[in-house]
Amino acid sequence: MKNFFFDVDGTLLPGGRTIPESTVKALYEAKRQGCGLFLCTGRSQDEVIPELYALPFDGGVFSSGAHIKVGDKVIYHARTTEAQRKVFFDAVDKYRLMWVIQTEDGSYLTQECLDLYTKLLWEISGKRIEFSGFNIVKEFPQEKPIVKMFILSDTCKALEARRDMEPILSTVNNVVGIPETMAAEITIPNISKSSGILKTLEYLGDGIETSVGVGDGENDVDMIDTCAIGISMGNGCKELKRHADFITTDADADGIYHAIMKVLDGEWKK
């Protein structure tokens, strides 16, 4: 029995496209064989599109490890400290950043940020990436606990902002192709997809040897390194491919199907 952990964007969801039928088929076959199926994503729980929740997933590692669910039970949830919030908002003000802020009840952003984000993604891929759970606001409601952040800079100040935040927050390049000078993910230190996987396995009472991680982006490297079997999509970034145990085909070329079947058929043994 294996526990599969799947990234969402570029992995389960090819950019701007629906879930491939072959992916659905493979997920149900893995479930039939008794495997655990988990989302493992930088998206918050509310940002995941309903089509994914209709599939036989057993839970998820959300917000890059800050929020974890098994079944209907939340087994872990992290929040930024007041000091971390201050450093973040100080950088936002200093560099006039736009932001997407994930909370326990959805994600908040301004219309200006949404417009720029949508424009940049269209220029990069020619496709619209679908999200749920966005709340459009003029200002972030300060009473909300923060789980994870994303910054966007139309003046290309993202790297400078990251340097200001990094003593107290973790930062990573965005995985949607926006230049690193314009965007980044901001997370709570020592919390990651891999820490979320380990907490999930501990809760299940399963060993790390049961784990299979599948992803495509730079923020999947720690997941690939931690899991017993780490798989990169064919459309994955070069850095992830260097860490992967094997590389499947692209997300829109039956990549998930081939990855799952290779593991289920015992063709890959680390």
Side-chain angles (χ1 to χ4, degrees):
M1 188 274 291
K2 298 293 185 183
N3 288 301
F4 287 86
F5 294 86
F6 299 97
D7 174 54
V8 172
D9 296 295
T11 302
L12 289 170
L13 291 178
R17 302 184 185 179
T18 58
I19 305 164
E21 291 185 10
S22 63
T23 294
V24 176
K25 179 180 178 181
L27 290 170
Y28 276 100
E29 178 58 24
K31 190 67 176 176
R32 188 188 69 79
Q33 294 194 29
C35 296
L37 303 175
F38 297 89
L39 300 170
C40 194
T41 177
R43 294 193 188 206
S44 69
Q45 177 184 338
D46 295 293
E47 289 174 6
V48 174
I49 62 173
E51 287 82 355
L52 283 175
Y53 285 131
L55 297 175
F57 289 105
D58 298 289
V61 175
F62 302 102
S63 298
S64 298
H67 182 82
I68 307 171
K69 287 187 74 173
V70 176
D72 293 327
K73 183 176 182 180
V74 176
I75 67 166
Y76 179 79
H77 200 99
R79 302 173 177 177
T80 56
T81 65
E82 287 302 316
Q84 289 166 342
R85 288 172 67 111
K86 183 178 187 306
V87 166
F88 175 74
F89 284 111
D90 283 350
V92 164
D93 292 340
K94 179 178 178 180
Y95 297 104
R96 298 183 179 180
L97 304 173
M98 291 175 242
W99 39 261
V100 181
I101 299 177
Q102 295 179 0
T103 75
E104 297 172 5
D105 63 350
S107 296
Y108 292 79
L109 76 169
T110 63
Q111 186 64 53
E112 179 187 25
C113 181
L114 180 59
D115 291 345
L116 179 58
Y117 191 41
T118 303
K119 176 177 178 289
L120 290 171
L121 292 180
W122 181 261
E123 290 174 351
I124 291 164
S125 66
K127 304 179 182 71
R128 182 181 293 274
I129 295 179
E130 185 179 354
F131 284 91
S132 300
F134 276 173
N135 299 292
I136 308 299
V137 294
K138 291 184 177 180
E139 295 182 354
F140 179 71
Q142 291 296 325
E143 73 278 6
K144 297 286 185 182
I146 296 175
V147 176
K148 183 191 166 192
M149 301 80 84
F150 176 87
I151 58 170
L152 194 59
S153 172
D154 59 352
T155 57
C156 298
K157 296 294 184 180
L159 291 175
E160 290 91 332
R162 288 172 65 173
R163 284 193 287 269
D164 284 5
M165 294 185 218
E166 280 174 356
I168 194 169
L169 289 163
S170 296
T171 74
V172 66
N173 288 341
N174 75 95
V175 295
V176 293
I178 300 173
E180 64 178 4
T181 57
M182 296 187 70
E185 294 185 22
I186 315 297
T187 61
I188 302 170
N190 302 315
I191 293 175
S192 62
K193 289 187 176 185
S194 60
S195 69
I197 289 170
L198 293 173
K199 287 180 173 66
T200 302
L201 293 173
E202 181 181 9
Y203 178 83
L204 295 172
D206 294 335
I208 191 66
E209 69 278 1
T210 68
S211 61
V212 182
V214 190
D216 74 302
E218 184 178 327
N219 67 345
D220 296 319
V221 170
D222 71 305
M223 172 175 72
I224 293 299
D225 285 344
T226 296
C227 287
I229 302 175
I231 304 171
S232 171
M233 304 302 293
N235 52 276
C237 69
K238 291 181 181 179
E239 179 65 15
L240 187 69
K241 289 178 178 178
R242 283 195 288 267
H243 288 254
D245 293 308
F246 72 86
I247 301 168
T248 186
T249 53
D250 287 4
D252 58 0
D254 303 326
I256 291 295
Y257 178 87
H258 293 305
I260 290 176
M261 291 305 162
K262 189 167 186 176
V263 173
L264 294 182
D265 292 343
E267 294 181 22
W268 175 261
K269 293 182 180 179
K270 191 170 181 180

